Amino acid sequence: LHISELSPPDLRASLGSLTQLFINLGILFALIAGIPLNDSTTTSSPSSTLLTHSYWRFMFAYALIPTAFHFLGILLLNQPFPSSSSSPSLQTLPISSSSPRAERDPHEQQHHRASTVDVLKTPKYRRLASLGCVLYALQQLSGINAVVFYSTAVFQSVGVRSSVLASVLVAAVNVLGTLTAAFIINHVGRKPLLLSSFSFMSFALLLLATNTSNSAALAVFATTFYVLAFSMGAGPVPSLLLPELFPLEMRAAGVSLSFATHW
């Protein structure tokens, strides 16, 4: 939501996709960090036993690095930037002249901003919020959690012995798809990308459901194709589409309600 309000219109979609991209990168790096720990549990040597009892501490310590950068970024978020705007209140960050925040006085926004209760009570706001909730519900009910959960067993069926390595492969495909979406979303458009994503996901699920011969190659292809299709549309697009659909006065509350459905 914050990125969509600060980004120029021609870069809003690509910059908004970075949120999903870095979430997937974090998952990928976390899985890669766990590979040594997973390998150490398959052997019984003294060195592997020592690694098992100590390496997990380093895994948690690694998380301090991005956390520190995140904290510093938040501190710098409200630092003044050079701006040609005459309004001091708009000089906290470089905002495009077509950005919604630059079109209205910030004090006026505060008086007209709808709360969560207002969104639920007002029919026109409630319809838009319902649309966002349904979109996020369809995203989660599309089967992504089940496919990712069983992807480890699918990859192990073709000889990938390490469950962590199988998860790394799925996460890498997820990152690749999200990165691709960030480059093409402005050219293809939100709605076509979302529709094509759900269509390809349905095709992949159909392959998985009709794989009566239990072909391992077909199962791996369908699983990988499904994750790729999800990450190129159904994954990043809803978080970009909703802030653009919601009016300014209900945007914060509407996105919050929709994202609550996501979790």
Short mmCIF file of all heavy atoms in Angstrom, two decimals, residues 165-207:
data_model
loop_
_atom_site.label_atom_id
_atom_site.label_comp_id
_atom_site.label_asym_id
_atom_site.label_seq_id
_atom_site.Cartn_x
_atom_site.Cartn_y
_atom_site.Cartn_z
N LEU A 165 16.25 -29.56 -0.36
CA LEU A 165 16.65 -29.23 -1.72
C LEU A 165 15.44 -29.15 -2.64
O LEU A 165 15.36 -28.29 -3.52
CB LEU A 165 17.64 -30.27 -2.24
CG LEU A 165 18.21 -30.01 -3.64
CD1 LEU A 165 18.91 -28.66 -3.69
CD2 LEU A 165 19.16 -31.14 -4.05
N ALA A 166 14.47 -30.04 -2.44
CA ALA A 166 13.24 -29.99 -3.22
C ALA A 166 12.50 -28.68 -2.98
O ALA A 166 11.98 -28.05 -3.91
CB ALA A 166 12.35 -31.18 -2.88
N SER A 167 12.44 -28.25 -1.72
CA SER A 167 11.79 -26.98 -1.39
C SER A 167 12.54 -25.80 -1.99
O SER A 167 11.92 -24.81 -2.41
CB SER A 167 11.69 -26.82 0.13
OG SER A 167 10.93 -27.86 0.71
N VAL A 168 13.87 -25.89 -2.05
CA VAL A 168 14.67 -24.84 -2.66
C VAL A 168 14.34 -24.71 -4.15
O VAL A 168 14.23 -23.59 -4.68
CB VAL A 168 16.17 -25.13 -2.47
CG1 VAL A 168 17.03 -24.21 -3.34
CG2 VAL A 168 16.56 -24.94 -1.01
N LEU A 169 14.15 -25.83 -4.82
CA LEU A 169 13.81 -25.80 -6.25
C LEU A 169 12.47 -25.11 -6.47
O LEU A 169 12.32 -24.30 -7.39
CB LEU A 169 13.78 -27.23 -6.80
CG LEU A 169 15.12 -27.97 -6.82
CD1 LEU A 169 14.92 -29.41 -7.29
CD2 LEU A 169 16.13 -27.26 -7.72
N VAL A 170 11.49 -25.42 -5.63
CA VAL A 170 10.17 -24.78 -5.76
C VAL A 170 10.28 -23.28 -5.48
O VAL A 170 9.69 -22.45 -6.18
CB VAL A 170 9.16 -25.44 -4.80
CG1 VAL A 170 7.84 -24.70 -4.81
CG2 VAL A 170 8.95 -26.90 -5.19
N ALA A 171 11.03 -22.91 -4.44
CA ALA A 171 11.19 -21.49 -4.10
C ALA A 171 11.92 -20.74 -5.21
O ALA A 171 11.61 -19.57 -5.49
CB ALA A 171 11.95 -21.36 -2.78
N ALA A 172 12.89 -21.39 -5.86
CA ALA A 172 13.61 -20.74 -6.96
C ALA A 172 12.69 -20.47 -8.13
O ALA A 172 12.75 -19.41 -8.77
CB ALA A 172 14.78 -21.63 -7.39
N VAL A 173 11.80 -21.41 -8.44
CA VAL A 173 10.81 -21.20 -9.50
C VAL A 173 9.88 -20.05 -9.12
O VAL A 173 9.51 -19.22 -9.97
CB VAL A 173 10.01 -22.49 -9.74
CG1 VAL A 173 8.85 -22.24 -10.70
CG2 VAL A 173 10.91 -23.58 -10.29
N ASN A 174 9.51 -19.96 -7.85
CA ASN A 174 8.65 -18.88 -7.37
C ASN A 174 9.31 -17.53 -7.56
O ASN A 174 8.68 -16.55 -7.99
CB ASN A 174 8.31 -19.12 -5.90
CG ASN A 174 6.99 -18.50 -5.50
OD1 ASN A 174 6.35 -17.83 -6.28
ND2 ASN A 174 6.60 -18.72 -4.26
N VAL A 175 10.59 -17.44 -7.25
CA VAL A 175 11.34 -16.20 -7.42
C VAL A 175 11.44 -15.84 -8.89
O VAL A 175 11.26 -14.67 -9.28
CB VAL A 175 12.75 -16.33 -6.80
CG1 VAL A 175 13.62 -15.14 -7.18
CG2 VAL A 175 12.65 -16.43 -5.29
N LEU A 176 11.71 -16.82 -9.73
CA LEU A 176 11.82 -16.57 -11.17
C LEU A 176 10.52 -16.03 -11.74
O LEU A 176 10.52 -15.07 -12.53
CB LEU A 176 12.21 -17.87 -11.88
CG LEU A 176 12.30 -17.80 -13.41
CD1 LEU A 176 13.38 -16.82 -13.84
CD2 LEU A 176 12.57 -19.19 -14.00
N GLY A 177 9.39 -16.62 -11.35
CA GLY A 177 8.12 -16.14 -11.85
C GLY A 177 7.78 -14.74 -11.39
O GLY A 177 7.28 -13.91 -12.17
N THR A 178 8.06 -14.44 -10.12
CA THR A 178 7.77 -13.11 -9.59
C THR A 178 8.66 -12.05 -10.25
O THR A 178 8.20 -10.94 -10.54
CB THR A 178 7.99 -13.09 -8.07
OG1 THR A 178 7.24 -14.14 -7.47
CG2 THR A 178 7.55 -11.76 -7.48
N LEU A 179 9.92 -12.40 -10.50
CA LEU A 179 10.83 -11.47 -11.16
C LEU A 179 10.37 -11.20 -12.59
O LEU A 179 10.42 -10.05 -13.07
CB LEU A 179 12.24 -12.05 -11.16
CG LEU A 179 13.36 -11.16 -11.72
CD1 LEU A 179 13.49 -9.89 -10.91
CD2 LEU A 179 14.68 -11.92 -11.75
N THR A 180 9.89 -12.22 -13.26
CA THR A 180 9.37 -12.05 -14.62
C THR A 180 8.13 -11.15 -14.62
O THR A 180 7.98 -10.27 -15.49
CB THR A 180 9.02 -13.41 -15.23
OG1 THR A 180 10.18 -14.25 -15.20
CG2 THR A 180 8.54 -13.26 -16.66
N ALA A 181 7.26 -11.36 -13.65
CA ALA A 181 6.05 -10.54 -13.55
C ALA A 181 6.39 -9.06 -13.34
O ALA A 181 5.70 -8.18 -13.86
CB ALA A 181 5.16 -11.05 -12.42
N ALA A 182 7.43 -8.79 -12.57
CA ALA A 182 7.80 -7.40 -12.31
C ALA A 182 8.20 -6.67 -13.59
O ALA A 182 8.01 -5.46 -13.71
CB ALA A 182 8.95 -7.36 -11.30
N PHE A 183 8.75 -7.41 -14.56
CA PHE A 183 9.20 -6.79 -15.81
C PHE A 183 8.08 -6.67 -16.84
O PHE A 183 8.11 -5.75 -17.67
CB PHE A 183 10.36 -7.60 -16.42
CG PHE A 183 11.68 -7.37 -15.74
CD1 PHE A 183 12.18 -8.28 -14.84
CD2 PHE A 183 12.42 -6.22 -16.00
CE1 PHE A 183 13.39 -8.08 -14.21
CE2 PHE A 183 13.63 -6.00 -15.38
CZ PHE A 183 14.12 -6.93 -14.47
N ILE A 184 7.10 -7.56 -16.80
CA ILE A 184 6.10 -7.58 -17.88
C ILE A 184 4.75 -7.02 -17.47
O ILE A 184 3.89 -6.82 -18.33
CB ILE A 184 5.90 -9.02 -18.41
CG1 ILE A 184 5.23 -9.90 -17.35
CG2 ILE A 184 7.22 -9.61 -18.86
CD1 ILE A 184 4.87 -11.29 -17.86
N ILE A 185 4.53 -6.75 -16.18
CA ILE A 185 3.19 -6.39 -15.73
C ILE A 185 2.71 -5.07 -16.33
O ILE A 185 1.53 -4.92 -16.65
CB ILE A 185 3.14 -6.34 -14.18
CG1 ILE A 185 1.69 -6.20 -13.71
CG2 ILE A 185 4.02 -5.23 -13.63
CD1 ILE A 185 1.53 -6.38 -12.22
N ASN A 186 3.61 -4.11 -16.54
CA ASN A 186 3.20 -2.84 -17.13
C ASN A 186 2.86 -3.00 -18.61
O ASN A 186 2.05 -2.23 -19.15
CB ASN A 186 4.31 -1.80 -16.97
CG ASN A 186 4.27 -1.13 -15.61
OD1 ASN A 186 3.20 -0.95 -15.04
ND2 ASN A 186 5.42 -0.77 -15.08
N HIS A 187 3.47 -3.96 -19.28
CA HIS A 187 3.21 -4.16 -20.70
C HIS A 187 1.99 -5.04 -20.94
O HIS A 187 1.23 -4.82 -21.88
CB HIS A 187 4.45 -4.78 -21.36
CG HIS A 187 5.70 -4.00 -21.18
ND1 HIS A 187 5.97 -2.83 -21.87
CD2 HIS A 187 6.77 -4.19 -20.35
CE1 HIS A 187 7.13 -2.34 -21.50
NE2 HIS A 187 7.64 -3.14 -20.58
N VAL A 188 1.82 -6.05 -20.10
CA VAL A 188 0.71 -6.98 -20.27
C VAL A 188 -0.57 -6.45 -19.63
O VAL A 188 -1.66 -6.57 -20.19
CB VAL A 188 1.07 -8.37 -19.69
CG1 VAL A 188 -0.11 -9.33 -19.80
CG2 VAL A 188 2.30 -8.92 -20.38
N GLY A 189 -0.45 -5.86 -18.45
CA GLY A 189 -1.61 -5.36 -17.73
C GLY A 189 -1.99 -6.26 -16.57
O GLY A 189 -1.69 -7.47 -16.58
N ARG A 190 -2.66 -5.67 -15.57
CA ARG A 190 -3.00 -6.43 -14.36
C ARG A 190 -4.02 -7.52 -14.65
O ARG A 190 -3.80 -8.68 -14.31
CB ARG A 190 -3.57 -5.50 -13.28
CG ARG A 190 -2.55 -4.70 -12.50
CD ARG A 190 -2.02 -3.55 -13.28
NE ARG A 190 -1.49 -2.49 -12.43
CZ ARG A 190 -0.66 -1.57 -12.88
NH1 ARG A 190 -0.25 -1.59 -14.15
NH2 ARG A 190 -0.24 -0.62 -12.07
N LYS A 191 -5.12 -7.15 -15.27
CA LYS A 191 -6.21 -8.10 -15.49
C LYS A 191 -5.81 -9.25 -16.42
O LYS A 191 -6.07 -10.42 -16.09
CB LYS A 191 -7.44 -7.38 -16.02
CG LYS A 191 -8.68 -8.24 -16.15
CD LYS A 191 -9.88 -7.43 -16.59
CE LYS A 191 -11.12 -8.30 -16.75
NZ LYS A 191 -12.30 -7.50 -17.17
N PRO A 192 -5.20 -8.98 -17.59
CA PRO A 192 -4.77 -10.11 -18.43
C PRO A 192 -3.78 -11.04 -17.74
O PRO A 192 -3.86 -12.26 -17.90
CB PRO A 192 -4.13 -9.42 -19.65
CG PRO A 192 -4.75 -8.07 -19.68
CD PRO A 192 -4.97 -7.69 -18.25
N LEU A 193 -2.88 -10.46 -16.95
CA LEU A 193 -1.90 -11.28 -16.26
C LEU A 193 -2.58 -12.15 -15.20
O LEU A 193 -2.23 -13.33 -15.01
CB LEU A 193 -0.83 -10.40 -15.62
CG LEU A 193 0.48 -11.07 -15.20
CD1 LEU A 193 1.17 -11.68 -16.41
CD2 LEU A 193 1.41 -10.08 -14.53
N LEU A 194 -3.57 -11.58 -14.52
CA LEU A 194 -4.29 -12.33 -13.49
C LEU A 194 -5.12 -13.46 -14.11
O LEU A 194 -5.12 -14.59 -13.62
CB LEU A 194 -5.18 -11.38 -12.70
CG LEU A 194 -5.74 -11.89 -11.37
CD1 LEU A 194 -4.62 -12.21 -10.40
CD2 LEU A 194 -6.68 -10.85 -10.77
N LEU A 195 -5.81 -13.16 -15.21
CA LEU A 195 -6.64 -14.18 -15.87
C LEU A 195 -5.78 -15.30 -16.46
O LEU A 195 -6.13 -16.49 -16.34
CB LEU A 195 -7.48 -13.52 -16.97
CG LEU A 195 -8.60 -12.59 -16.51
CD1 LEU A 195 -9.26 -11.91 -17.71
CD2 LEU A 195 -9.64 -13.36 -15.71
N SER A 196 -4.69 -14.93 -17.10
CA SER A 196 -3.82 -15.97 -17.67
C SER A 196 -3.17 -16.81 -16.58
O SER A 196 -2.98 -18.02 -16.74
CB SER A 196 -2.74 -15.32 -18.55
OG SER A 196 -1.94 -14.43 -17.79
N SER A 197 -2.86 -16.19 -15.45
CA SER A 197 -2.26 -16.93 -14.34
C SER A 197 -3.22 -18.00 -13.82
O SER A 197 -2.85 -19.17 -13.67
CB SER A 197 -1.88 -15.97 -13.21
OG SER A 197 -1.40 -16.68 -12.08
N PHE A 198 -4.46 -17.61 -13.54
CA PHE A 198 -5.44 -18.59 -13.05
C PHE A 198 -5.74 -19.66 -14.11
O PHE A 198 -6.00 -20.82 -13.77
CB PHE A 198 -6.73 -17.88 -12.64
CG PHE A 198 -6.68 -17.30 -11.26
CD1 PHE A 198 -6.68 -15.92 -11.06
CD2 PHE A 198 -6.63 -18.12 -10.14
CE1 PHE A 198 -6.63 -15.39 -9.77
CE2 PHE A 198 -6.58 -17.59 -8.86
CZ PHE A 198 -6.58 -16.22 -8.68
N SER A 199 -5.71 -19.29 -15.38
CA SER A 199 -5.96 -20.26 -16.44
C SER A 199 -4.86 -21.31 -16.50
O SER A 199 -5.13 -22.53 -16.57
CB SER A 199 -6.08 -19.55 -17.79
OG SER A 199 -7.15 -18.63 -17.80
N PHE A 200 -3.61 -20.87 -16.46
CA PHE A 200 -2.49 -21.81 -16.49
C PHE A 200 -2.43 -22.65 -15.21
O PHE A 200 -2.05 -23.83 -15.25
CB PHE A 200 -1.18 -21.06 -16.70
CG PHE A 200 -1.00 -20.52 -18.09
CD1 PHE A 200 -0.65 -19.20 -18.30
CD2 PHE A 200 -1.19 -21.34 -19.19
CE1 PHE A 200 -0.50 -18.70 -19.58
CE2 PHE A 200 -1.03 -20.85 -20.48
CZ PHE A 200 -0.69 -19.53 -20.68
N MET A 201 -2.80 -22.05 -14.08
CA MET A 201 -2.85 -22.82 -12.84
C MET A 201 -3.90 -23.93 -12.94
O MET A 201 -3.67 -25.06 -12.48
CB MET A 201 -3.16 -21.88 -11.67
CG MET A 201 -2.01 -20.97 -11.29
SD MET A 201 -2.55 -19.56 -10.28
CE MET A 201 -3.28 -20.39 -8.88
N SER A 202 -5.05 -23.61 -13.53
CA SER A 202 -6.10 -24.62 -13.71
C SER A 202 -5.61 -25.75 -14.61
O SER A 202 -5.89 -26.94 -14.35
CB SER A 202 -7.34 -23.98 -14.32
OG SER A 202 -7.84 -22.95 -13.48
N PHE A 203 -4.89 -25.40 -15.66
CA PHE A 203 -4.34 -26.42 -16.55
C PHE A 203 -3.36 -27.33 -15.81
O PHE A 203 -3.39 -28.56 -15.98
CB PHE A 203 -3.64 -25.74 -17.73
CG PHE A 203 -2.90 -26.68 -18.64
CD1 PHE A 203 -3.59 -27.55 -19.46
CD2 PHE A 203 -1.51 -26.69 -18.66
CE1 PHE A 203 -2.91 -28.43 -20.30
CE2 PHE A 203 -0.82 -27.56 -19.49
CZ PHE A 203 -1.52 -28.43 -20.31
N ALA A 204 -2.51 -26.74 -14.98
CA ALA A 204 -1.55 -27.54 -14.22
C ALA A 204 -2.24 -28.46 -13.22
O ALA A 204 -1.86 -29.62 -13.05
CB ALA A 204 -0.56 -26.62 -13.49
N LEU A 205 -3.28 -27.95 -12.57
CA LEU A 205 -4.04 -28.79 -11.63
C LEU A 205 -4.76 -29.91 -12.37
O LEU A 205 -4.89 -31.02 -11.84
CB LEU A 205 -5.05 -27.92 -10.87
CG LEU A 205 -4.47 -26.94 -9.84
CD1 LEU A 205 -5.58 -26.10 -9.22
CD2 LEU A 205 -3.69 -27.67 -8.75
N LEU A 206 -5.21 -29.63 -13.58
CA LEU A 206 -5.86 -30.68 -14.37
C LEU A 206 -4.86 -31.78 -14.71
O LEU A 206 -5.21 -32.98 -14.66
CB LEU A 206 -6.43 -30.07 -15.66
CG LEU A 206 -7.17 -31.03 -16.59
CD1 LEU A 206 -8.41 -31.60 -15.90
CD2 LEU A 206 -7.57 -30.31 -17.88
N LEU A 207 -3.64 -31.40 -15.03
CA LEU A 207 -2.61 -32.40 -15.30
C LEU A 207 -2.33 -33.26 -14.06
O LEU A 207 -2.17 -34.48 -14.16
CB LEU A 207 -1.32 -31.72 -15.76
CG LEU A 207 -1.32 -31.06 -17.14
CD1 LEU A 207 0.03 -30.42 -17.42
CD2 LEU A 207 -1.66 -32.08 -18.23
#
